[in-house]
Amino acid sequence: MKYTLDTIPVLDAFKSNCQCPLCQLAISCEDGYIDSLLSSAYMEPEVRIETNKTGFCPQHFALMYARRNKLGLSLMTHTHMKEFLPELKKILDDSSQEKSGPLPFFRGKQKSSKAEMLRNQIRRCHICTQVDTAMRRYAYTVIRLYLDKAEFRDLMRQKGGVCLPHTALLLELAEEAFSAKECQEFEAALSQITLEHLTALEKDLYDFTLQFDYRNAGKTPDPRVRDSVERAVNRLAGAIVGTEAERPAHND
Ligand SMILES: [Zn+2]
Ligand SMILES: [Zn+2]
């Protein structure tokens, strides 16, 4: 796959006050796709072909449902169900499976349980696919900037790297899209930055837990460690709690 650079949003995210710039870019991308889908993109035939085929994951169904305007969501869900029901019948109806043999996407597999086939069907999501594609482009840009620009290397060090899910994405992409030498250089630097940051965070979190010790009752909590639970959770799992996980407000 050929990747293009998307420098400005990456630099803006790394300069902003956040734990993981890639999480902030993912939230912003996701919000933009949901906006575009619910405002008019759901009427575009090529978009509808995709949403009919894949549907949405629980998180993205919930985010769309939270918007006030339900027309786009109801139309997309209806035509997805219409297309999905015959597939569902093939999975759940034994007589239909016997007649037609295994489903095309499971051919070659000896035996797939109904549960496994069902999970594979409902796991797909149009918005996840769009966000994943954009995040790979951003990850590619991060690695390129790190290798080429001393100023960006400083930014990466100041941030202490990114959350662990996005660390995995960066390592995967470095291996996939860069030369062995570049990959090795980036991987060594990112690993060191990540380990240093997480070691310091573990210490902050430990200090935070000590505040609950009865021997420290009445002492002023250390402001340095006040948000360490939030920081640790978001580092380990991606931005899922607190201000880091906040999404833009909408009235539509
Ligand atoms: Zn992240
Ligand atoms: Zn999704």
Side-chain angles (χ1 to χ4, degrees), residues 56-57 59-60 125-128:
F56 303 97
C57 69
Q59 183 193 354
H60 289 134
C125 170
H126 177 66
I127 297 172
C128 281

Side-chain angles (χ1 to χ4, degrees), residues 50-198:
E50 280 307 308
T51 62
N52 285 351
K53 205 161 51 184
T54 59
F56 303 97
C57 69
Q59 183 193 354
H60 289 134
F61 261 134
L63 284 172
M64 287 192 290
Y65 184 78
R67 303 289 182 95
R68 212 181 285 169
N69 182 355
K70 299 283 187 285
L71 178 63
L73 177 60
S74 53
L75 288 173
M76 283 188 291
T77 306
H78 171 245
T79 51
H80 166 60
M81 282 185 78
K82 233 175 128 187
E83 193 166 312
F84 179 53
L85 274 171
E87 296 297 317
L88 190 62
K89 190 163 186 279
K90 286 186 207 164
I91 295 171
L92 297 180
D93 182 348
D94 291 326
S95 60
S96 143
Q97 270 215 45
E98 275 159 26
K99 263 182 261 157
S100 59
L103 296 173
F105 44 93
F106 293 114
R107 272 186 199 127
K109 261 194 155 186
Q110 276 305 303
K111 227 180 174 183
S112 292
S113 69
K114 285 185 181 185
E116 190 186 347
M117 289 193 284
L118 198 53
R119 279 199 195 99
N120 277 314
Q121 270 287 346
I122 59 179
R123 191 176 283 149
R124 303 185 297 169
C125 170
H126 177 66
I127 297 172
C128 281
T129 306
Q130 299 293 313
V131 174
D132 285 350
T133 305
M135 291 316 295
R136 292 179 77 76
R137 195 173 66 243
Y138 288 137
Y140 178 86
T141 307
V142 167
I143 302 167
R144 190 74 271 159
L145 286 172
Y146 188 89
L147 292 168
D148 295 348
K149 308 265 181 224
E151 185 203 342
F152 191 78
R153 288 196 279 278
D154 290 341
L155 278 174
M156 179 70 100
R157 270 191 289 272
Q158 280 162 26
K159 284 275 171 233
V162 295
C163 72
L164 287 187
H166 284 132
T167 303
L169 173 66
L170 289 174
L171 293 175
E172 181 184 73
L173 212 70
E175 204 171 307
E176 185 189 302
F178 289 81
S179 71
K181 187 174 166 288
E182 287 174 324
C183 172
Q184 203 177 15
E185 180 189 336
F186 180 76
E187 193 183 305
L190 182 64
S191 302
Q192 193 195 359
I193 292 169
T194 305
L195 285 172
E196 276 172 14
H197 185 85
L198 286 178

